[in-house]
Amino acid sequence: MAAHMLRIYEPLYAVGQQQVEPLFLPLPLANNDFAWREFRIYVDFYRQGRHRGLGRCGIFSPKFPLKSKIRTSQFFDFCRSHEEADVCFFNPFPQVRYLAYNVWTQGEPWHPGLIQAAQSLMDAVGIPWKIDRMPRHDERFLAFSNFWAANEKFWDAYVGGILIPIAEFLQQQPDHPAAMQVMQDTYHSNKASFLPFIIERLFSTFISLHPEFSCKPYPIFDIRPYCLNEAEWEMAIAMKPSIDAADKNGCFTNDLVESLNQAAISNTAQGKRYFQNNPHPHTGRVISDHPTVSS
């Protein structure tokens, strides 16, 4: 019976915070670490062994309904229709497949220095990944916001094998140059370091490098509702024919990879301009080059 259970927890990290999604289970946090964001929640959850004996479980932000644009019951139904999968996930940014080669080339223009900071962290922890050599992330692997629910085997391999060693390094050697680098502030709608944006991209990285796990992405057939503004939609739709063909054939020429790199840079530039004066749909805030902690 446990193998077929599905439990998704909603973190309650603020005093008086009300649970948003009734299908989720409440996860009260006594002492949320703002600097680590969701990373701290995953690490503590794993160390407490709360992922064990639950079938598949996940920890979803209260913003899941806002970002996913589906009923939460639809995601539950999807997971239950793929009982054989080690992990099911939802990517609320499906348009990125047409605007970047992978999660790292998407993130670098938004957070300059992200790839170098991530590589320094991998090297310091002893994780043998080369961030600048990551494969293509199409809809099979592309994921943001940590909307995934996985079985114990996946939790042990990904959280236990990747996230926990990173946490131990940061806790034991906070003055290490790599640790200090990932804790530097980066561009965002409120104060944030590189760390949560690195952690967010490790899921896609892990599943793209570990084909032994069965991973099922929730299918999204219309990307337009997920595009953050009209310019992003126009850029994505212009790139779509060539990218779909390359993904189907499994062949990306150097020129096409470079076109995606330029699309990522261009989309970031227009997005930064746009959100200086227009609230981001996921936060309700404009984005500042010099963010401060929001109230």
Side-chain angles (χ1 to χ4, degrees), residues 126-295:
I127 298 173
W129 293 350
K130 299 303 179 184
I131 301 299
D132 62 353
R133 300 179 192 172
M134 285 298 132
R136 164 67 174 161
H137 292 154
D138 57 21
E139 72 274 13
R140 296 171 299 164
F141 310 118
L142 195 64
F144 294 91
S145 301
N146 293 308
F147 293 150
W148 55 267
N151 60 21
E152 186 174 323
K153 180 176 71 170
F154 186 91
W155 272 81
D156 284 339
Y158 174 56
V159 181
I162 302 297
L163 301 192
I164 292 297
I166 291 174
E168 290 174 346
F169 165 72
L170 294 176
Q171 289 171 329
Q172 295 169 8
Q173 302 185 59
D175 296 329
H176 189 286
M180 296 176 67
Q181 187 176 15
V182 300
M183 297 311 298
Q184 292 178 355
D185 286 348
T186 185
Y187 181 100
H188 194 46
S189 56
N190 59 357
K191 188 176 177 64
S193 68
F194 282 112
L195 181 63
F197 302 105
I198 292 173
I199 298 300
E200 179 182 33
R201 286 164 174 78
L202 296 183
F203 176 83
S204 291
T205 303
F206 181 85
I207 64 174
S208 68
L209 298 177
H210 288 270
E212 67 271 23
F213 290 102
S214 173
C215 307
K216 295 294 183 181
Y218 188 97
I220 297 175
F221 302 106
D222 181 9
I223 67 168
R224 184 159 196 172
Y226 298 89
C227 291
L228 300 178
N229 54 60
E230 193 68 17
E232 183 174 75
W233 157 251
E234 292 173 356
M235 191 178 302
I237 206 66
M239 296 290 293
K240 187 177 187 298
S242 57
I243 300 306
D244 280 345
D247 279 332
K248 181 179 179 179
N249 298 327
C251 180
F252 276 78
T253 65
N254 290 337
D255 286 345
L256 188 54
V257 172
E258 181 58 28
S259 293
L260 277 173
N261 290 340
Q262 291 303 314
I265 293 170
S266 297
N267 187 55
T268 299
Q270 76 83 16
K272 287 183 176 182
R273 290 192 301 270
Y274 182 83
F275 291 118
Q276 284 180 351
N277 300 305
N278 298 274
H280 195 286
H282 297 160
T283 65
R285 294 187 298 270
V286 297
I287 298 178
S288 171
D289 283 313
H290 303 286
T292 56
V293 179
S294 61
S295 57

Side-chain angles (χ1 to χ4, degrees), residues 51 63 230:
H51 66 294
K63 291 183 179 179
E230 193 68 17

